[in-house]
Amino acid sequence: EASKVGCSVPAARKTGTTICGVVFKDGVVLGADTRATEGMIVADKNCSKIHYISPNIYCCGAGTAADTEMTTQLISSNLELHSLSTGRLPRVATANRMLKQMLFRYQGYIGAALVLGGVDCNGPHLYSIYPHGSTDKLPYVTMGSGSLAAMAVFEDRYKPDMEEDAAKQLVRDAIAAGIFNDLGSGSNIDLCVITKNKVNYIRPHDEANKKGVRTGDYKYKQGTTGVLTKAVTPIDLELLEESVQTMDTS
Amino acid sequence: MRGQPLLSPVIHREKMAAAPVMMPYFGQQISSKSDLVPDWTRQEVSTGTTIMAVEYDGGVVIGADSRTTTGAYIANRVTDKLTRIHDKIYCCRSGSAADTQAIAEVVAYQLGFHSIELDEPPLVETAANLFRASCYRYREELTAGILVAGWDKRKGGQVYSVPIGGMLVRQPVSVGGSGSTYIYGFMDANYKPGMNKEQCMEITAAALSLAMERDGSSGGVVRLASISEEGVERRVILGNQLPKFSTH
């Protein structure tokens, strides 16, 4: 009925996206770009795609933005309850099971493609989870429209048991490959480094696409246009309410 | 529903156990409405696959390739399609990755529970029937071709085939997946009853290599496992170590 009126139904906001993860010597590094698209328009230039699941587990999300957001929040909540029930720090495999069982139940209609990573009592773990509910446990994974660009970087330079700095650089380069070669990905690079005792959520790690400063000015000087006549009519208005909303001019 | 998988592109009832048919597989992927959105949003993840299981006196040998695809992209090139259901019962998965993972996890749970109730290792036939129960009941919704293989005390090494549609049949040798079409002739010519474990390993590796060479949806490494009273022994044959048949 919307098309009869002349409007089109707004497309669900999809994160075009490049997300990836890598297992290194002491833990995992997760990376993501920060562009959210609505069709061919950038809806959010700096959105956060690395979601909290538990103190030791984080999840990058690609696909439909609402689906990744709500799915990770739901599982995060259930996992916290589970953790209180068991009295233990949650395991990545548990989060993986909960996510895949939910996504399978919805037969792919929840468009959430996730990169789940964390460190638990059994060491560092990394999973990729697809919308239909299949998962893969691997040392390095990429997802999203920029996944092929990022995977090319990983397949060239990944080595097992890397140091933290090398792993961070690798993930940064993989996301950068997605940002610069995929139209659906862009803006900045966020990283999340998870180790046994510490989580380092670096947002942004790399502002790869800073807005430039204008070199010229289109404003004309006062007096450029000659004024012929001037008539001033004051209108008395009573100020009832004032509220200020800042606009994002970045 | 569009974009169902691609292991056995045939989703209609064939008289033969899910003989996967050659379909213009690659034609589906060429149309991409939006370049922003990759294949995985439209194509389900499928274990393209070649899988195989052989009985010998004292156990079974199972084998699979390692490729999982979403459309034309290889989502995982080192997949382990030989999934543990119980200590001495494994299954080979082909079809939709999500469907087969979900079914295998459910059956593993049911069998584990059953085994604890029995206080005995479960029978391979029991595991096969649990697979068949799920695959037949939900046959309209699922795309799963599974080989169940293992060892138990009662009947020794057994291979059960549960193809798409939910049939159950025990066979001394069985192949499955999109790549299996290329090796039926090879199996008919070269399989002989009464082979020992090493011979079974060799014929499995050879058959899988041939299928992987010809089928675009199969590839990567060959994963083998043998299951017997002694336990489970797993092997991996890397791409460059595969038996070579072609001279050109």
Side-chain angles (χ1 to χ4, degrees):
Chain A
E1 331 78 70
S3 48
K4 269 195 263 165
V5 193
C7 312
S8 55
V9 182
R13 190 146 66 90
K14 294 177 103 86
T15 49
T17 303
T18 310
I19 52 173
C20 68
V22 119
V23 174
F24 70 102
K25 195 159 76 149
D26 307 316
V28 302
V29 179
L30 303 175
D33 73 303
T34 61
R35 173 181 288 184
T37 51
E38 235 166 281
M40 287 300 271
I41 297 174
V42 176
D44 190 346
K45 285 180 275 196
N46 197 200
C47 78
S48 171
K49 302 186 190 180
I50 306 183
H51 308 283
Y52 168 88
I53 301 280
S54 76
N56 59 324
I57 304 172
Y58 280 73
C59 187
C60 310
T64 310
D67 288 346
T68 59
E69 191 72 47
M70 299 317 295
T71 301
T72 48
Q73 279 179 5
L74 181 68
I75 266 66
S76 170
S77 171
N78 288 341
L79 204 59
E80 186 176 345
L81 290 170
H82 185 262
S83 169
L84 286 163
S85 175
T86 59
R88 293 176 164 93
L89 197 65
R91 301 186 190 188
V92 190
T94 314
N96 179 55
R97 264 300 163 100
M98 291 168 135
L99 285 163
K100 79 181 329 190
Q101 284 178 350
M102 181 191 155
L103 291 173
F104 183 76
R105 206 163 4 116
Y106 285 91
Q107 286 291 291
Y109 284 99
I110 293 185
L114 310 166
V115 167
L116 175 76
V119 181
D120 58 30
C121 57
N122 291 117
H125 303 282
L126 185 65
Y127 292 87
S128 65
I129 306 172
Y130 289 82
H132 284 267
S134 61
T135 67
D136 291 305
K137 187 177 193 305
L138 292 163
Y140 55 96
V141 295
T142 65
M143 291 285 234
S145 56
S147 63
L148 270 66
M151 185 50 90
V153 174
F154 276 165
E155 288 285 31
D156 184 32
R157 284 162 44 190
Y158 169 83
K159 276 179 262 313
D161 293 319
M162 281 184 289
E163 292 297 330
E164 180 174 324
D165 288 326
K168 281 163 73 174
Q169 186 63 32
L170 181 63
V171 170
R172 185 249 155 233
D173 289 343
I175 300 293
I179 286 173
F180 294 113
N181 299 100
D182 172 44
L183 298 179
S185 311
S187 298
N188 313 321
I189 300 169
D190 289 350
L191 282 194
C192 185
V193 185
I194 310 172
T195 46
K196 195 162 187 319
N197 304 309
K198 192 165 70 84
V199 170
N200 202 358
Y201 193 99
I202 313 166
R203 178 175 152 81
H205 172 259
D206 194 335
E207 283 194 312
N209 288 282
K210 260 183 123 113
K211 187 169 183 170
V213 175
R214 295 243 177 103
T215 51
D217 190 13
Y218 284 101
K219 280 208 174 70
Y220 287 100
K221 277 204 301 287
Q222 278 268 357
T224 308
T225 310
V227 178
L228 297 176
T229 46
K230 192 167 157 179
V232 178
T233 319
I235 302 170
D236 287 313
L237 293 172
E238 199 187 311
L239 181 64
L240 292 173
E241 191 196 314
E242 189 176 323
S243 69
V244 178
Q245 191 180 54
T246 48
M247 194 173 95
D248 175 26
T249 52
S250 62
Chain B
M1 182 165 77
R2 188 197 189 239
Q4 270 287 344
L6 321 166
L7 137 283
S8 328
V10 68
I11 327 263
H12 50 266
R13 319 282 103 94
E14 290 257 315
K15 320 148 281 206
M16 256 298 275
V21 154
M22 255 178 293
M23 202 150 100
Y25 168 67
F26 296 104
Q28 285 176 318
Q29 274 68 272
I30 307 225
S31 59
S32 43
K33 268 200 306 229
S34 167
D35 288 327
L36 273 188
V37 166
D39 265 347
W40 51 254
T41 56
R42 281 160 294 137
Q43 294 279 8
E44 211 190 302
V45 177
S46 124
T47 46
T49 305
T50 315
I51 50 175
M52 185 166 152
V54 191
E55 282 177 20
Y56 66 91
D57 183 22
V60 293
V61 166
I62 55 175
D65 74 303
S66 70
R67 181 170 290 184
T68 317
T69 51
T70 39
Y73 179 66
I74 299 172
N76 187 353
R77 59 180 171 84
V78 287
T79 325
D80 184 8
K81 303 179 192 180
L82 308 176
T83 306
R84 179 192 177 276
I85 305 296
H86 205 263
D87 290 347
K88 301 213 176 105
I89 305 176
Y90 275 63
C91 75
C92 308
R93 299 180 295 112
S94 70
S96 154
D99 290 352
T100 54
Q101 282 182 15
I103 297 169
E105 280 164 20
V106 157
V107 171
Y109 161 77
Q110 291 172 330
L111 199 67
F113 194 94
H114 169 72
S115 172
I116 289 173
E117 284 183 320
L118 242 50
D119 198 21
E120 246 182 54
L123 300 176
V124 187
E125 189 172 354
T126 312
N129 272 288
L130 286 170
F131 270 106
R132 192 260 309 134
S134 293
C135 293
Y136 182 71
R137 180 177 285 252
Y138 298 105
R139 59 185 301 178
E140 305 299 325
E141 287 84 19
L142 294 172
T143 309
I146 295 172
L147 297 178
V148 187
W151 182 92
D152 63 36
K153 213 166 64 156
R154 216 181 271 189
K155 295 186 188 168
Q158 299 146 74
V159 169
Y160 293 89
S161 192
V162 183
I164 290 180
M167 181 183 90
L168 172 64
V169 70
R170 182 182 172 184
Q171 294 176 298
V173 189
S174 196
V175 295
S178 58
S180 67
T181 50
Y182 304 100
I183 50 175
Y184 279 109
F186 176 80
M187 292 310 296
D188 288 341
N190 293 85
Y191 171 76
K192 283 148 190 45
M195 294 198 290
N196 66 25
K197 182 173 92 160
E198 273 313 310
Q199 289 170 319
C200 286
M201 288 278 205
E202 275 162 25
I203 194 176
T204 307
L208 290 172
S209 303
L210 287 166
M212 282 156 64
E213 189 69 31
R214 286 292 179 177
D215 178 30
S217 313
S218 303
V221 304
V222 167
R223 294 199 189 275
L224 292 171
S226 80
I227 310 171
S228 63
E229 188 172 5
E230 285 83 59
V232 176
E233 184 209 319
R234 297 201 63 145
R235 274 187 222 175
V236 180
I237 307 181
L238 300 179
N240 56 348
Q241 297 158 350
L242 285 171
K244 287 186 230 324
F245 292 90
S246 188
T247 49
H248 56 275

